Amino acid sequence: MTDNEWPTLLCDNRRSGGQAPQPWRAPQKSLWQASVEGGVRGAPILRDGLLYVTSLAGYLTAIDARNGTVRWRFDAESPIHSTPSFSGGQVFFTSDGGKLHAVDSNSGEKKWVVTAGAESWASPVVSKNTIFFGDASGHMYAVNLADGMVQWKRELGGKVYSSACVAEDRVFVGCGSGEIHCIGSRSGDVLWKTPTGNGIDSSPAIANGTLFVGSLDFFFYAIDTTTGAIRWKYEAELGISSSPAVSGDAVVFGCKAGVLRALNIQNGKLMWAQGLGQAITAPAVISGTTVWLQSGMTYAFNLSDGNLLWRARLGYSLQAAPAVTESAVYLTSMEGDVYALG
Amino acid sequence: MIDRRQFVKRTCLGGFALCLDHWATSPAYGQDLIPPAPPIHVNEPAGIVRSALAMPGLFPGRVIEIDDTRAIVNNRVSQPVIHGMLERALRELTGARGVREAWSKFVEPKDIVGIKINPSGAPACCSSPEIVQEIVAGVHSAGVPLQNIHVYDRYAYEIDVGSYQTLVPLGVRVVGVEERKLDASGYDANIYCEANFFGEWETRSYMASIVSSNLTKIINVPTMKDHSAAGVTGCLKNLGYGTFNNVDRSHRRPFSFTDPLIGVMCSVEPLRSKAVLHIMDGMRMLWHGGPLSQNSKFIFPAGILMVGTDPVAMDTIELEKIEAKRSKEGAPSVWSRDPKSLTNNGEEFYEDSSKNLYYRQPHHIAAAGKLGLGTSDLKLIDHRVLGTGG
């Protein structure tokens, strides 16, 4: 993967929300703006010069990242909330119709489809030729990338709107019952589960053997990935749906009270906090020394001290995570707009 | 004051027409400033036989209030405490010995039940997921399969902010009627209220299809909030403005026609017949800045639950409580018509409880009473306060 690629939700399978260091440079202008049919709830992903965007009208649209031209679109015949993932020349996404779709990235043609038990908003994660995703029936699924065969299916006891992350043959995901689960990626066995005080719809992230995840119980957790033991937890003002981003010593997340925070990953001590005045539900993204966040407006903050570097008002309906590369920032809006800023 | 007598026509499908006199109860604005509310034409299905459970429902004029300081602590709602409060309130409302028997007075196993939440103040002040979970459990206990229970509201995005999808039990569907602005695909083209308030280009408000076609019963879960245009948002507004689209047009600063539109909308069938029970979530009382404020200084952890079938009586009690709280905090009455309290500055409104964007219209509650939806006379309301816990 190069610095100009962003092939899955929050950039990589660990959902770290960050990538290689880049110098801060404020976007100077809109490179292009495009529209897709239907509102967009998922984040864009980028691979090989194509931006892939899902929409509530049921389309996966491939857009030329250089100029915003639509290359192709695929009709899933059901609203799509999930962010797609790219692997092996295929794009994968789940739909409200309870299906996991595999689409050829060049032609936009269907490769295969798997039917789950209920709607799925969770973004699939791909690791070692296996796709993992959860659905509202409370199951996690492991599906063979090549042919769509279901390898295992595991009931978790609560609705799964959290997108899983993967590290070292383990899949980590939260669910509506409030538990964070660690599942063996090959066996589908639950290796451990750690309860929190309310449901989880935030997607966990992993760094340095620690899992970071927010819960609707107002707490942000750091959990040992091997044992499931809670290393520390930090209390916010309201529930946490925003997925964290990790870089260096900092983990950054927002809460529904509209406060963006950076905590030290070792001990959970507060490094800085910024009040934005509007509920934060979108994940933060870190690019080099910059934290990107969308909460009504699009913001860039300095990672080290939280100072506001830049913000833009592109409408009030920006909530998804951006995709950030060396040359551009790609954004989607709930109204179906796609922006490239550079 | 002028006599602002209003006349509302109801035009039913199939050529059957019924005319209904309606006297909006609000004192008029200065006659020079705004004309009286225009006629509201209602298009609704012909031949609907009003249900015995139709508003004001099985227990007209009865409001059960229960409060418990343990219900909300550190801004967290306690589901075990809510469980006990709701059970006790329902038994008191219905006279049933058991809670299952109480629920069975409103729903039966063949029903498709909608739980109409109010997520518009999410995340700071919205229908508590803990209460929604208890309602789901109660409806399920009466034999309704979880798959036939839908939690819904008009705005999908606000539902998302409240995380209801994640928190409701497995099997329960969460439905947002509108996924994006100006999305009319989830509305029934044959059922609407039509009126031209301010010269708007779209003069119709359509009923959500989930209400007209899919659901057989509705349990209404409003919150306890001030409303800058309506005075308060309670059972009636959560139901009326949460069922029909294009409702913002009823208020344009500083004027509001929430009276009589809210009541008229609630009177439209099949909404009136399907809304069988109201459970008002007063865990957090927003006493200024409603309906959307997130300002914690105006959110009081009241820990109140109110239950009834008469939305007018419940909103009347709610109005009393909001008024009392505002008075205690030194804020002007929601009945105030003092032009000095008006501001066009939204930020000022959200910070200063003496300011408002509109002349509020709490009279919409009494107006709904005149449409037969319930009792607004405090002397006639059977208001039972159960007190702490138990």
Side-chain angles (χ1 to χ4, degrees), chain B residues 165-180:
Chain B
Q165 288 91 343
T166 306
L167 295 173
V168 299
L170 291 167
V172 175
R173 280 189 66 212
V174 177
V175 180
V177 177
E178 293 180 31
E179 291 283 7
R180 60 193 301 210

Side-chain angles (χ1 to χ4, degrees), chain B residues 247-274:
Chain B
V247 291
D248 289 352
R249 67 193 174 93
S250 75
H251 33 295
R252 185 172 295 180
R253 295 178 192 174
F255 303 112
S256 163
F257 291 116
T258 48
D259 173 18
L261 185 59
I262 289 174
V264 171
M265 286 178 163
C266 288
S267 74
V268 178
E269 293 289 4
L271 175 62
R272 181 172 180 177
S273 281
K274 291 181 178 179

Side-chain angles (χ1 to χ4, degrees), chain A residues 298-336:
Chain A
T298 303
Y299 299 90
F301 300 96
N302 189 342
L303 174 61
S304 62
D305 57 17
N307 284 338
L308 179 67
L309 298 171
W310 176 88
R311 67 180 172 185
R313 189 185 297 274
L314 299 168
Y316 285 100
S317 55
L318 295 161
Q319 293 291 338
V324 184
T325 71
E326 285 179 342
S327 54
V329 180
Y330 300 96
L331 315 169
T332 56
S333 85
M334 291 198 293
E335 303 304 314

Side-chain angles (χ1 to χ4, degrees), chain A residues 74-265:
Chain A
F74 173 84
D75 186 0
E77 300 176 344
S78 175
I80 307 166
H81 280 80
S82 70
T83 296
S85 283
F86 185 103
S87 185
Q90 296 180 84
V91 183
F92 308 97
F93 62 95
T94 61
S95 70
D96 290 18
K99 290 184 166 56
L100 170 68
H101 298 264
V103 175
D104 185 281
S105 63
N106 287 319
S107 66
E109 292 176 352
K110 169 184 160 184
K111 300 285 282 188
W112 47 258
V113 64
V114 171
T115 300
E119 74 173 12
S120 177
W121 292 12
S123 300
V125 59
V126 186
S127 177
K128 296 180 180 174
N129 295 320
T130 304
I131 305 158
F132 305 93
F133 73 101
D135 73 0
S137 74
H139 289 91
M140 274 299 292
Y141 302 82
V143 174
N144 189 354
L145 181 145
D147 56 12
M149 291 291 290
V150 176
Q151 295 174 1
W152 54 256
K153 173 181 172 184
R154 175 68 54 196
E155 186 172 1
L156 300 186
K159 294 188 173 190
V160 183
Y161 284 91
S162 164
S163 293
C165 62
V166 177
E168 296 161 358
D169 294 329
R170 293 179 173 208
V171 180
F172 303 89
V173 69
C175 72
S177 66
E179 292 165 325
I180 185 88
H181 292 259
C182 171
I183 303 169
S185 62
R186 292 178 186 161
S187 65
D189 294 338
V190 175
L191 304 177
W192 55 256
K193 56 184 177 183
T194 298
T196 71
N198 207 342
I200 296 172
D201 54 9
S202 163
S203 301
I206 298 172
N208 298 337
T210 305
L211 186 84
F212 299 98
V213 67
S215 167
L216 295 170
D217 70 0
F218 302 9
F219 283 99
F220 186 80
Y221 292 84
I223 296 171
D224 186 305
T225 56
T226 304
T227 64
I230 295 172
R231 289 183 169 164
W232 52 259
K233 63 180 182 178
Y234 183 97
E235 186 174 11
E237 297 84 353
L238 281 176
I240 301 165
S241 290
S242 160
S243 302
V246 189
S247 181
D249 286 339
V251 56
V252 180
F253 67 97
C255 76
K256 291 188 179 184
V259 182
L260 181 71
R261 285 186 171 83
L263 306 181
N264 183 293
I265 63 170

